[in-house]
Amino acid sequence: MFDPHSVPADPLATSALAARGLEYRRVDPADEPALQAWVQAETRGFHHARPEAPELRRALQVSRQRNVRGVYDPTAHDPQVPVATVDGWPSGLSVPGGRSVDAWAVSSVTVSPTHRRRGIARALLEAQLRYAKAAGAALARLTVTEATIYGRYGFGPAASAATVHVDRRRAHWIGPESPGRVQFVEPADLIGKAPAIARRAVARTPGEIDRWPGLLERHFGLVDPGSADARALRVARYDDAAGQAQGFVAFRVVRAPDEPGALECDVFVAATDDAERELWRFLVEQDFVTEARVRLRSVDEPLPWLLEDPRAVSLHEISDHLWLRVLDPVAALSARDYGTAGTLTLEIADPLGHAEGTFVLDVSGDGHAEVRRTGDARPDAANGARPEARHDARADAASRHPSSGRRSRAQAAHGLRIDARDLASIYLGGTRPSVLARAGRLAELAPGSLAVADRLFHAPRTPHLSIWF
C-alpha cells in the first residue's frame, strides 16, 4: 500500500515558489496546530463557515490520511496560516468492464485572493501530477468548481452529473415490482454494512472512486449527531429477496409549517438495478411532498422510463463533475474494457510530457486490450504498466480467446491525433471521439478512424461520480 506521506517535497514547486518569497511545504499530520491552520485556510478558500468542533475533528482525521501541502507567506499577518492549500491521495477509479485503475485524487485546491497571479496554482497542480506519477498512478482526477482552470494541466471533463427534480404530483409509477423491500433504518445501525454496499455500487459504474474512511459517517450525520441537520436526516435501506442489503438513501424533507415539503437527497447508493429502481420509487412516492431533488445523479437515469409521465423528471445544474488527467497511457488504456474488437493508433500530444507519444491500442473480441508505445519490443514494456493490467490485456485474453482474429499491427491504419486532455474526456466513454472531432479537438489519421474510435470507447453504462472530493 502506497503511503501518501512518503512523497518528498517537490523541488520544482519549492524553488518556483521560493523565487516569489513563498514557502511550499508538507503539513505534518502529527502537528495539530499546523493541521488546524491548514483546515481553516481550506475552509475559507471554499467560502464555508468556520467548522465547529465535531466537523473540525473529522476534517483533521481525513487530512491525516492524505498528502497535505500548503503555501506560506512569511510576511503575512499570520504566517502560520497557509495562503494556498492542496491535498492528494491514491485511490481506485472504476472503469468500463467493472475493474479499477490506480489513480491519484487531487482535492482542496485553494489560493487566497490576496495571492493571485503568482504562479501558485500552477506550482501546486504540476507538483501533484509528479506525486501521482511517483505513486504509480495511471491517471489523476479531481472535481472542480472552476471549469476554466484545469485544462491547461491536461485534465479533461470525463463524467457529468445533475440534480434530478421530480414533480411528485405527476409521478405515477409504472416500473416493475421488486422482490425486495425498502425500510427505514437508523444511521448508526447501517454504518457497519454501508461500506460494503458502497464498494459494490462503485464497481458497477465507471467514474466512481473508492470511498475513504469517515465519508459515510458524514453522509449519515454521525459526525455531529446532535446537530439540527443530522436530526433532520432520514435513512432507508433496500434489501433484496434474500435479505441482503443492496442500497441505501439518506434524505431530508424541508418545508414551512403546515405546508407540503420538498425532499432533498444527497446520498443515493445502489449496488443492483432492483435497488436503484426501488429506492427511486421510495423517494418519489413520499406523501406530503411536492418535489424530490436528488443531487449528483447520472445524466442518464432510468427514472423517466419508470414513470407514466416522463416529463415529471427534469435535470438541473448539469455539470462536468469528474475531470481526469492521463499520466500513463499504457496502464490507463489497458485497464478498461472496450466496446468492440479493433486496432487504433493514438498520437497523443501533451505539453507537460506525461502522456506524450504514439500508442497502439489493440482490442480482442472479448473487449480486453493490448497497449504499447510504438518502438517498444513488447506490448507490456512501456511506462511501468501494472502487472494485473498486462495479464488482463494479454495473457488472459489470449487464453480465453485464442482465435480472436487479431489483426497484425502492420495493418493498423486507423488512428487519432489527440491531446491528453481530450483523451481523458473519451476515456470512460462519456464523450464520443466523433463529437470532439466535430469541435475540431482531434483529427483522424485515416478515413474511418472516428467510427472505429466511437465503437471502441463506447461504454455500456454512462460514467458518473456521485460524490464530491
Side-chain angles (χ1 to χ4, degrees), residues 143-159:
T143 54
V144 307
T145 53
E146 300 287 342
T148 59
I149 296 174
Y150 297 97
R152 70 193 70 165
Y153 307 108
F155 287 89

Side-chain angles (χ1 to χ4, degrees), residues 285-372:
E285 289 188 343
Q286 296 282 327
D287 291 330
F288 208 47
V289 165
T290 59
E291 183 182 40
R293 298 190 289 265
V294 187
R295 299 183 178 90
L296 291 183
R297 296 307 302 162
S298 172
V299 295
D300 196 21
E301 288 289 331
L303 182 61
W305 304 97
L306 298 169
L307 302 179
E308 184 177 59
D309 182 359
R311 295 183 183 181
V313 181
S314 56
L315 300 186
H316 300 256
E317 300 166 343
I318 300 173
S319 67
D320 43 88
H321 185 50
L322 173 69
W323 289 56
L324 295 181
R325 207 295 181 196
V326 177
L327 295 168
D328 183 344
V330 172
L333 293 168
S334 299
R336 61 155 291 176
D337 283 359
Y338 292 85
T340 188
T343 302
L344 191 71
T345 297
L346 297 171
E347 292 185 358
I348 305 172
D350 183 353
L352 296 182
H354 299 294
E356 183 86 21
T358 300
F359 301 83
V360 176
L361 173 67
D362 201 1
V363 182
S364 64
D366 65 349
H368 288 120
E370 288 181 0
V371 184
R372 68 181 181 95

Side-chain angles (χ1 to χ4, degrees), residues 257-272:
D258 303 320
E259 295 291 335
L263 181 148
E264 297 183 344
C265 176
D266 294 333
V267 181
F268 188 125
V269 175
T272 66

Side-chain angles (χ1 to χ4, degrees), residues 56-309:
L56 178 59
R57 285 195 297 272
R58 185 207 69 85
L60 293 174
Q61 178 186 11
V62 170
S63 297
R64 291 189 183 100
Q65 302 163 14
R66 301 179 177 179
N67 180 302
V68 176
R69 305 283 167 165
V71 178
Y72 297 81
D73 183 348
T75 67
H77 170 71
D78 186 348
Q80 303 308 312
V81 176
V83 298
T85 63
V86 68
D87 65 21
W89 70 100
S91 180
L93 171 73
S94 295
V95 298
R99 290 184 288 167
S100 177
V101 64
D102 294 334
W104 181 267
V106 181
S107 186
S108 300
V109 181
T110 75
V111 178
S112 172
T114 60
H115 286 70
R116 301 289 191 210
R117 293 174 294 280
R118 301 193 190 184
I120 295 176
R122 176 169 293 279
L124 293 181
L125 287 164
E126 291 185 358
Q128 286 295 311
L129 297 181
R130 290 188 285 269
Y131 294 151
K133 292 199 73 171
L139 304 103
R141 61 170 180 255
L142 44 75
T143 54
V144 307
T145 53
E146 300 287 342
T148 59
I149 296 174
Y150 297 97
R152 70 193 70 165
Y153 307 108
F155 287 89
S160 297
T163 298
V164 176
H165 287 214
V166 185
D167 185 341
R168 169 68 182 87
R169 294 160 295 192
R170 300 168 63 183
H172 175 63
W173 190 266
I174 61 170
E177 295 292 329
S178 167
R181 62 182 295 194
V182 177
Q183 52 188 327
F184 280 108
V185 294
E186 287 299 312
D189 295 332
L190 179 59
I191 193 62
K193 294 182 176 181
I197 302 170
R199 282 193 295 273
R200 296 198 300 275
V202 164
R204 71 196 293 255
T205 305
E208 291 282 14
I209 75 167
D210 293 342
R211 284 11 181 191
W212 54 90
L215 179 66
L216 288 170
E217 284 82 356
R218 186 182 190 190
H219 283 167
F220 287 170
L222 295 175
V223 172
D224 187 8
S227 68
D229 283 346
R231 288 185 289 108
L233 202 65
R234 298 288 183 261
V235 175
R237 187 187 72 215
Y238 171 80
D239 299 336
D240 64 19
Q244 176 78 17
Q246 299 288 7
F248 55 84
V249 290
F251 68 96
R252 61 179 57 84
V253 175
V254 295
R255 64 184 184 90
D258 303 320
E259 295 291 335
L263 181 148
E264 297 183 344
C265 176
D266 294 333
V267 181
F268 188 125
V269 175
T272 66
D273 289 344
D274 281 347
E276 186 175 31
R277 287 193 297 267
E278 286 305 301
L279 290 171
W280 267 124
R281 184 173 189 173
F282 172 79
L283 293 177
V284 304
E285 289 188 343
Q286 296 282 327
D287 291 330
F288 208 47
V289 165
T290 59
E291 183 182 40
R293 298 190 289 265
V294 187
R295 299 183 178 90
L296 291 183
R297 296 307 302 162
S298 172
V299 295
D300 196 21
E301 288 289 331
L303 182 61
W305 304 97
L306 298 169
L307 302 179
E308 184 177 59
D309 182 359

